[in-house]
Amino acid sequence: MNKKYQNGFFIFGMAVLGLMITQLDFAEVWSGLQHTGYWFLAVLGLWCVLYVFNTAAWYLIIKAGAKSESPLQGQRREKVGFWWLYKLTVSGFALNYATPGGLMGGEPYRVMSLAPKIGTERASSSVIFYAMTHIFSHFWFWLISIPLYLLTQPLNVLTALMLGTGGVFCGLGLWFFISGYRKGLAVRAMNLLRHIPFVKKWARPFIDRHRGELDTIDCQIAALHRQSRATFIAAVGLELTCRLLSALEIYFILLVILPEVSYIQCVLILSFTSLFANLLFFIPLQLGGREGGFLMSTAGLGIATSAGIFVALIVRMRELLLTGVGLLLIKLGSSAPVVRDKEERNEPKA
């Protein structure tokens, strides 16, 4: 990646991170960390493992894209190492956490970092395909949580209404992404931006200039989904497993103050909290939304409000710490000239 862009991503992310740190009550943070003790180290170790699942899903998608290329197309492509991709995954999520609108930060960074190795179009399609898979797994996680709640928790009219609404929302989300996998999502997403205030002035000329590239990316996404079903299922499985295992973070934290807590309760807390926080995607690090989600989900399961506050505080500290680490990893990247797709394909000139 060009050093100018690399420094831009780094400076922007660190500035937002610094601003968010100033909003913390340091006495409360220190008290919470002391109370958590070694379990906080267990939480950090858990996320180091969870990022391996995220990286493996993206790695499978990139490898499947390489197999679908003809030998002439891929003859000068560089090998993408797993642990280099792991660094990109951690840094990309760090930028997503720090950026209002989520995917507006980490995904461009991933494309620009990966493009020198495999070409801009394939880098773009793999990043978009992985982002779609990451979000797709969230919808499955939320949908699975509905019968899990029905089997383990008491039901009332209000809860039944909320679960029904959530089921419809998840069903629509799954339909949208399945359709996107079959037909591509790049053009559809950009066309959606045409109607958003402030963004539409930029989106319209961008779409007009890059219509051909966007169509190519959509074709690659559709072809990858059609030709590599096993890869698609494996990637979704890895991401869904990651969602389920991430509930261990809440379990570890609550064990400090509630030894009787169950893992199922933690899965349900995470499901509701992540759904609520993602509805507030436009807030950096989902400040306030994540905390509110923890308070409501713990209260809904009959757990003390103080426990929800405690979990929210420790999770926020973990997010801030790993966001800082991810942003620092950006500076460890090396710059390289971008592979020009048309030149690499040696397409015959008219």
Side-chain angles (χ1 to χ4, degrees):
M1 181 193 296
N2 185 297
K3 283 291 184 182
K4 179 179 69 174
Y5 294 115
Q6 185 186 68
N7 290 333
F9 281 117
F10 174 74
I11 293 170
F12 173 78
M14 292 301 292
V16 176
L17 179 63
L19 178 62
M20 289 185 288
I21 289 175
T22 62
Q23 308 303 309
L24 294 175
D25 183 333
F26 291 99
E28 185 181 16
V29 168
W30 178 242
S31 174
L33 290 176
Q34 284 183 311
H35 199 176
T36 309
Y38 60 84
W39 282 111
F40 187 69
L41 297 178
V43 167
L44 293 178
L46 171 67
W47 274 93
C48 290
V49 174
L50 294 178
Y51 282 134
V52 171
F53 282 83
N54 296 136
T55 306
W58 189 18
Y59 188 74
L60 286 176
I61 290 169
I62 293 173
K63 288 297 182 183
K67 291 178 181 178
S68 66
E69 278 191 325
S70 67
L72 187 60
Q73 283 180 311
Q75 63 182 1
R76 293 187 186 178
R77 303 306 194 198
E78 294 183 33
K79 182 179 179 181
V80 177
F82 183 87
W83 294 112
W84 178 83
L85 202 66
Y86 181 89
K87 180 190 80 71
L88 235 60
T89 299
V90 177
S91 297
F93 278 123
L95 282 168
N96 281 344
Y97 281 132
T99 307
L103 301 180
M104 292 171 62
E107 310 319 308
Y109 164 77
R110 291 178 183 180
V111 171
M112 295 172 72
S113 298
L114 190 58
K117 291 183 175 290
I118 64 174
T120 305
E121 288 183 356
R122 224 186 95 206
S124 300
S125 61
S126 73
V127 169
I128 294 173
F129 195 97
Y130 171 71
M132 291 169 64
T133 302
H134 183 72
I135 301 171
F136 188 66
S137 70
H138 272 83
F139 279 101
W140 276 114
F141 177 57
W142 297 328
L143 189 64
I144 290 171
S145 299
I146 294 174
L148 190 62
Y149 187 97
L150 293 173
L151 291 172
T152 61
Q153 304 298 319
L155 191 66
N156 55 46
V157 175
L158 179 60
T159 304
L161 182 61
M162 291 177 61
L163 292 177
T165 303
V168 172
F169 173 74
C170 291
L172 290 174
L174 291 172
W175 169 82
F176 176 80
F177 278 97
I178 290 172
S179 176
Y181 281 120
R182 291 174 178 170
K183 301 177 182 178
L185 198 64
V187 173
R188 298 172 71 187
M190 294 304 297
N191 283 332
L192 182 63
L193 294 179
R194 284 176 177 267
H195 307 288
I196 299 178
F198 304 110
V199 179
K200 62 183 179 182
K201 292 183 178 180
W202 164 83
R204 288 172 180 172
F206 179 87
I207 295 171
D208 293 338
R209 288 196 307 268
H210 299 280
R211 172 67 66 174
E213 291 90 335
L214 292 171
D215 287 336
T216 300
I217 290 170
D218 276 345
C219 289
Q220 290 176 346
I221 290 173
L224 185 59
H225 175 258
R226 184 174 58 253
Q227 298 170 7
S228 306
R229 293 294 178 89
T231 297
F232 171 71
I233 294 171
V236 173
L238 284 167
E239 285 290 317
L240 182 57
T241 301
C242 186
R243 301 285 80 70
L244 293 168
L245 291 179
S246 61
L248 286 172
E249 175 180 35
I250 299 172
Y251 184 66
F252 292 161
I253 297 170
L254 284 179
L255 279 177
V256 177
I257 55 177
L258 293 173
E260 69 277 8
V261 70
S262 72
Y263 176 68
I264 297 297
Q265 287 177 306
C266 295
V267 171
L268 295 175
I269 291 171
L270 176 63
S271 179
F272 179 83
T273 302
S274 62
L275 175 58
F276 185 76
N278 276 281
L279 292 175
L280 302 176
F281 66 92
F282 51 87
I283 301 176
L285 265 173
Q286 295 148 346
L287 290 174
R290 183 68 60 86
E291 286 76 5
F294 276 122
L295 289 174
M296 288 188 287
S297 58
T298 51
L301 292 173
I303 299 174
T305 303
S306 58
I309 296 173
F310 183 68
V311 172
L313 174 65
I314 301 305
V315 170
R316 180 62 64 198
M317 286 308 303
R318 184 270 303 167
E319 289 178 335
L320 288 171
L321 180 59
L322 291 185
T323 297
V325 171
L327 294 174
L328 290 175
L329 288 176
I330 293 175
K331 297 297 293 180
L332 297 180
S334 58
S335 60
V338 175
V339 174
R340 301 297 179 186
D341 291 278
K342 290 184 179 180
E343 294 175 6
E344 284 299 306
R345 292 172 183 172
N346 292 330
E347 292 178 348
K349 297 181 180 179

